[in-house]
Amino acid sequence: MPTIDQLQAATASADTDELLTSQGGVSVKVTRSQLLAGLQPSIAVPPGALLGNSGSTVDGPQSIMVGSNLTLTNGTLSGTAFSIAALPSGRSPVAADLVSLSQGGTAAAISYGTFLNGIASLPNLAVEPTAASVTRTLPAIFGDSLTIEDFGAAGDGVTDDTAAFLAAAAAGAPIRLGPKTYAIRGPTTLAGSAVTLIGVAGKTTLHRLSQSSGSVWITVAATLFASEGVTFDANSAITSSTIGVNVSASCLRAVFQGCGFTNTVSGTGLQFSTSDPALTRHSVTACEAFGNVRGISCTAADGVIVSGCHLHDNSSGGITVDNIDSTHTIKTRTTQILGNQCWNNLVGIQVGDYSLSNVVPTTATNTNPDVVQCLIASNTCHDNSEYGIAAQGYNILVQGNLLYNNGGTNLGNGGILANVSNSAVRDNLISQHLGYAIDAGASIFTDIGDNFVTTARIGINAGGSQGVRVAGNYIENCSGTGITIFHTETDANGNTIGVATTNVVIAENHIDIPTGASGIILQDGPQLVSVLRNTVVTVAGADVSLCLLPFTDSVTIAGNLLNGSPTLHLFDPFAPSSGPFSGFTTLAYPDVLDSVSIAATSAAVQSICALSALNYAQFVTFTKVTNGGSGYTSAPAVTFTGGGGTGATAAAVVSGGALIGFRMGSLGSDYTSAPTVLLSGGGGSGGTATAFIGVPVPPSRNLRVYCGVAVSWAVSGSKPSQTTASGIAITTAANSDIDWVGRSGGWYAARHQQTDYVAPSANGSVTFASISGDLRLQPGGPGAVRWVNAAQATGCTTTVGAGTPNGAVSAPPGSDYRNLTGAAGSVFWIKQSGTGSSGWLAVA
């Protein structure tokens, strides 16, 4: 039988063609149509797809699409790296998630946690930070700063993190603190060459967990220290007397920026300890201290700057600068307190020590103070219960501060307290105080100038002072007094200050006086006070006697203005109906002025009297020491006897064993003469004093009186005394003036036009007259009465003498001479020729 290959090839194939096949072991024939009836006539495959079976059983082919990162090109299936951006979004990885990597050329998967742990074991892994130019290893970069958590801190506010805190500080790198609360035990000391704490402002807190011993929670002993954005919470539950953070003497440079100090309920939030005389430089900037006894305190450390801080709700001082040192051998120097806000403290800013244990006697505070060279500037202090600023020391500048509503209802407190020496209180704005605006009692060689003071009881007090200048201040709406000067003063604790007022200048101030208030009061006899060129403004109808009350015998008053005028226009001197000046025609002038005018007069003026002298003529206005005595260990009792009145009381002031002054308690009443002052007790002897009733005419007091009408001035019987060069009464012409000068408790007519003796006429002539007796012409020495006119300036002379004028008296021709010892024919002489002593001819 031939094989298939041996058969003849067909030319075509049709469905009717027959083929040999076997069915069940029997050879049969089938047509082509029958053979193909059970087969798929064609397979269609779309581009980019494969045929396959993705199921789990035998089945026909399926179309399989080519997915991401695979391509089918010209029948070739190839793969590329996958695109991360094209992957679906995931979540934050956790330790159990897998990461693919190649290990020894083989792909592998490891957990995310294992992957990160492996990075930590690569010490030489290096990176170059953005914008940097040097590649560094990760350990080096991470070591630039450390976290307290790197040393095991929990930061939950409960777990004791002290050990971790100290270990981090000892590592020498800056310590980063998270927005957590770290519990730190006390006492804890930060030592070493440098410690830096970097927190999250307002969120990082170091909380005192406990205090086992000592008086300080955290001691900064490192040479250099910096802290930023850390709140030091001393824990209000710990009530023992402790300090929150103490910068010790070994720290020469400490910087606190944006930190908080709170809850040191029995001590100081931040304290700089005594380091004098070592030079230190500490700064506290933009920090906050509240809920402490003292917010920030500097004892005797040089160069501390506190600026831009908020100090509030501290039971004593917001900022205190002082030191208790009875020997005064250490100081607080060159402190600057700038631009802070202080409220709701006892004292906003307190500079200087008011402890009696430090100042015995108190004058030592001014001559040898604890605080020197201190600047207090541009601070805002309000609603502090005693003072906004209280300063005591040497070379203190209090400038440009804003103070309002300090002192509460205590009339003895207020805005600024300045018991300073060689210092200045300038350019401050002080408003809304029920007590003092500026209380500068016991200041020495100090300038109080250009301050704006409004709405206080006392505008400026500068009593108990020496060499103080109160000048250029604007004072208005003070319900008590604009400026007060006491002879002696007390310190902030009410203790007598051993200084008596002398050489005080009150000049060029503007004082607005509301109804019922006073302008300037000189109380208890301050000495050598000058009241110069001030402007006093009163409301309509005000009592001008209250513009100046000079209860002293030692004051210079000149150049002041009352309501814009240097003079006051009076109408007619009057005669009081009662009192010591009853019946005296009295010219009563306001003490503040040195010029008045009279428009009319009905009688000769018998009394030139300041309004204060008139109003207080029967009161003991002040008491003056005439002999300080010695050996006084306490103030002797003071008793007033005689004088016709009753009720005067005073307290003696003693310093250094001697009397230095008196504080009047009550002025009494109805005194007709000065009472005698009796002193008893006090352990000393020799002290004497003189009481004054009314107000004496100050020596060299000048009063110019313009007379609109002719005014007669009495001499005999005047009170206080009025004297003239001639010793007799005078009359000033209408439209002229006269200058009276204080002398020996009375008045002396220093310059005036006397119409009694010299009377100009409307035609240009003048009449020389006398009240009675001769009209005398008396040239001095060898002088003569000379007769001249406009055309003859030399003129001729009239002289008198004893003996002949020939050879003795020189005169121009036409002169005459009278020989007071001559006889007939030699009494009256005429000069005929020459200008020498010859040429005389006797004519009678």
Side-chain angles (χ1 to χ4, degrees):
M1 175 180 290
T3 64
I4 293 176
D5 292 338
Q6 293 174 337
L7 296 179
Q8 181 180 355
T11 58
S13 177
D15 286 341
T16 59
D17 291 344
E18 295 179 338
L19 299 172
L20 177 65
T21 185
S22 176
Q23 292 183 340
V26 179
S27 297
V28 294
K29 64 177 182 180
V30 294
T31 66
R32 189 184 72 172
S33 175
Q34 292 175 318
L35 179 66
L36 297 176
L39 300 176
Q40 178 179 328
S42 63
I43 298 176
V45 180
L50 301 175
L51 291 179
N53 181 0
S54 62
S56 59
T57 62
V58 176
D59 199 354
Q62 296 177 341
S63 178
I64 300 174
M65 300 301 295
V66 176
S68 301
N69 301 308
L70 295 174
T71 59
L72 180 63
T73 304
N74 296 325
T76 300
L77 180 66
S78 60
T80 61
F82 61 85
S83 171
I84 295 177
L87 296 176
S89 299
R91 62 180 185 275
S92 297
V94 296
D97 289 346
L98 297 179
V99 177
S100 65
L101 74 163
S102 175
Q103 290 183 328
T106 302
I110 64 171
S111 69
Y112 181 67
T114 303
F115 178 77
L116 292 182
N117 288 336
I119 292 178
S121 65
L122 300 176
N124 296 319
L125 183 63
V127 297
E128 182 178 308
T130 302
S133 60
V134 176
T135 299
R136 302 170 63 212
T137 64
L138 287 180
I141 294 174
F142 292 149
D144 288 343
S145 64
L146 303 171
T147 70
I148 190 172
E149 284 81 3
D150 295 336
F151 297 87
D156 57 11
V158 177
T159 304
D160 187 350
D161 291 330
T162 308
F165 181 55
L166 291 174
I175 304 169
R176 293 191 175 275
L177 304 170
K180 303 176 182 180
T181 297
Y182 301 94
I184 307 297
R185 286 181 284 104
T188 292
T189 299
L190 299 176
S193 60
V195 174
T196 299
L197 306 179
I198 304 173
V200 180
K203 294 185 177 181
T204 298
T205 299
L206 297 184
H207 174 76
R208 179 161 55 169
L209 183 63
S210 61
Q211 185 79 27
S212 60
S213 63
S215 60
V216 179
W217 171 29
I218 297 176
T219 297
V220 177
T223 305
L224 303 176
F225 178 81
S227 177
E228 179 179 353
V230 178
T231 296
F232 296 87
D233 178 7
N235 190 349
S236 61
I238 300 176
T239 59
S240 59
S241 179
T242 57
I243 298 167
V245 178
N246 181 65
V247 179
S248 68
S250 61
C251 182
L252 301 180
R253 171 69 168 158
V255 177
F256 293 89
Q257 172 80 33
C259 295
F261 307 92
T262 185
N263 288 330
T264 313
V265 295
S266 298
T268 300
L270 170 63
Q271 174 175 288
F272 294 94
S273 289
T274 299
S275 60
D276 185 65
L279 182 63
T280 61
R281 288 293 180 266
H282 303 309
S283 64
V284 185
T285 305
C287 293
E288 184 173 13
F290 60 97
N292 311 286
V293 174
R294 291 167 297 278
I296 299 173
S297 178
C298 175
T299 56
D302 293 345
V304 175
I305 301 175
V306 181
S307 62
C309 296
H310 288 181
L311 298 310
H312 61 93
D313 297 284
N314 299 286
S315 62
S316 182
I319 303 172
T320 62
V321 179
D322 61 16
N323 183 70
I324 298 177
D325 168 33
S326 60
T327 62
H328 299 276
T329 56
I330 54 179
K331 313 287 184 187
T332 303
R333 309 174 193 272
T334 59
T335 303
Q336 298 181 58
I337 303 173
L338 311 172
N340 302 284
Q341 295 189 45
C342 306
W343 71 93
N344 207 30
N345 309 284
L346 186 70
V347 178
I349 299 171
Q350 179 176 313
V351 172
D353 196 344
Y354 298 93
S355 170
L356 280 181
S357 63
N358 187 37
V359 182
V360 181
T362 310
T363 49
T365 301
N366 288 323
T367 58
N368 187 20
D370 278 334
V371 178
V372 296
Q373 292 96 34
C374 179
L375 173 61
I376 307 170
S378 303
N379 301 282
T380 298
C381 301
H382 64 91
D383 296 289
N384 298 285
S385 58
E386 283 193 358
Y387 288 97
I389 297 174
Q392 183 166 287
Y394 175 88
N395 281 176
I396 310 296
L397 175 57
V398 183
Q399 183 171 20
N401 300 283
L402 172 62
L403 301 104
Y404 62 93
N405 200 35
N406 298 285
T409 59
N410 191 328
L411 300 183
N413 297 329
I416 296 176
L417 174 67
N419 297 149
V420 293
S421 66
N422 301 82
S423 300
V425 181
R426 300 189 58 84
D427 302 305
N428 301 283
L429 194 155
I430 309 106
S431 176
Q432 302 293 329
H433 294 92
L434 295 180
Y436 293 87
I438 300 176
D439 185 0
S443 293
I444 297 177
F445 305 117
T446 290
D447 179 32
I448 305 169
D450 298 317
N451 299 284
F452 187 94
V453 172
T454 179
T455 317
R457 183 176 67 91
I458 306 296
I460 298 175
N461 170 42
S465 300
Q466 297 180 354
V468 169
R469 177 177 177 266
V470 182
N473 301 283
Y474 192 103
I475 305 169
E476 63 99 18
N477 199 32
C478 291
S479 61
T481 307
I483 299 175
T484 298
I485 307 293
F486 283 89
H487 184 48
T488 58
E489 266 288 1
T490 59
D491 66 11
N493 292 327
N495 304 295
T496 299
I497 294 175
V499 177
T501 298
T502 183
N503 288 308
V504 172
V505 175
I506 305 172
E508 299 171 358
N509 301 283
H510 181 105
I511 307 174
D512 261 325
I513 307 175
T515 301
S518 303
I520 301 171
I521 294 182
L522 309 180
Q523 194 79 25
D524 296 327
Q527 298 294 291
L528 300 177
V529 180
S530 298
V531 182
L532 311 173
R533 301 180 301 281
N534 299 281
T535 297
V536 179
V537 179
T538 65
V539 296
D543 183 354
V544 296
S545 71
L546 299 178
C547 294
L548 172 63
L549 293 175
F551 293 158
T552 179
D553 62 340
S554 180
V555 60
T556 298
I557 303 170
N560 301 289
L561 301 179
L562 176 57
N563 295 320
S565 175
T567 189
L568 183 66
H569 302 289
L570 307 176
F571 181 72
D572 191 353
F574 68 102
S577 59
S578 61
F581 295 93
S582 176
F584 284 80
T585 301
T586 302
L587 172 64
Y589 66 92
D591 300 69
V592 74
L593 294 177
D594 46 21
S595 175
V596 294
S597 65
I598 299 175
T601 182
S602 56
V605 177
Q606 300 169 293
S607 174
I608 304 171
C609 184
L611 287 174
S612 63
L614 186 67
N615 295 339
Y616 291 89
Q618 294 179 286
F619 300 87
V620 179
T621 52
F622 64 99
T623 303
K624 184 176 179 178
V625 174
T626 53
N627 190 327
S630 62
Y632 289 97
T633 56
S634 62
V638 181
T639 304
F640 295 97
T641 63
T646 59
T649 62
V653 180
V654 171
S655 179
L659 293 171
I660 63 168
F662 295 86
R663 298 291 297 267
M664 294 301 300
S666 170
L667 305 185
S669 61
D670 300 324
Y671 287 93
T672 56
S673 61
T676 300
V677 181
L678 299 179
L679 304 174
S680 59
S685 62
T688 60
T690 300
F692 287 77
I693 61 169
V695 178
V697 178
S700 300
R701 174 70 156 108
N702 188 284
L703 180 68
R704 174 168 292 181
V705 183
Y706 172 79
C707 303
V709 296
V711 178
S712 296
W713 305 90
V715 173
S716 177
S718 57
K719 182 180 182 179
S721 64
Q722 299 169 185
T723 61
T724 63
S726 63
I728 60 175
I730 57 175
T731 301
T732 51
N735 299 317
S736 66
D737 52 27
I738 178 172
D739 287 347
W740 291 96
V741 177
R743 180 176 295 178
S744 301
W747 295 100
Y748 170 74
R751 186 196 63 80
H752 55 92
Q753 182 178 347
Q754 297 174 295
T755 58
D756 311 69
Y757 308 102
V758 181
S761 174
N763 62 9
S765 64
V766 63
T767 299
F768 294 90
S770 62
I771 301 300
S772 62
D774 297 335
L775 182 65
R776 302 168 62 122
L777 299 177
Q778 184 177 339
V785 177
R786 186 175 294 271
W787 307 91
V788 299
N789 61 28
Q792 298 292 331
T794 301
C796 61
T797 63
T798 295
T799 55
V800 297
T804 175
N806 273 321
V809 179
S810 297
S815 298
D816 60 77
Y817 174 83
R818 288 168 175 79
N819 179 6
L820 300 180
T821 61
S826 64
V827 174
F828 186 71
W829 300 71
I830 296 295
K831 183 73 181 312
Q832 291 184 317
S833 61
T835 57
S837 60
S838 61
W840 288 97
L841 174 67
V843 295

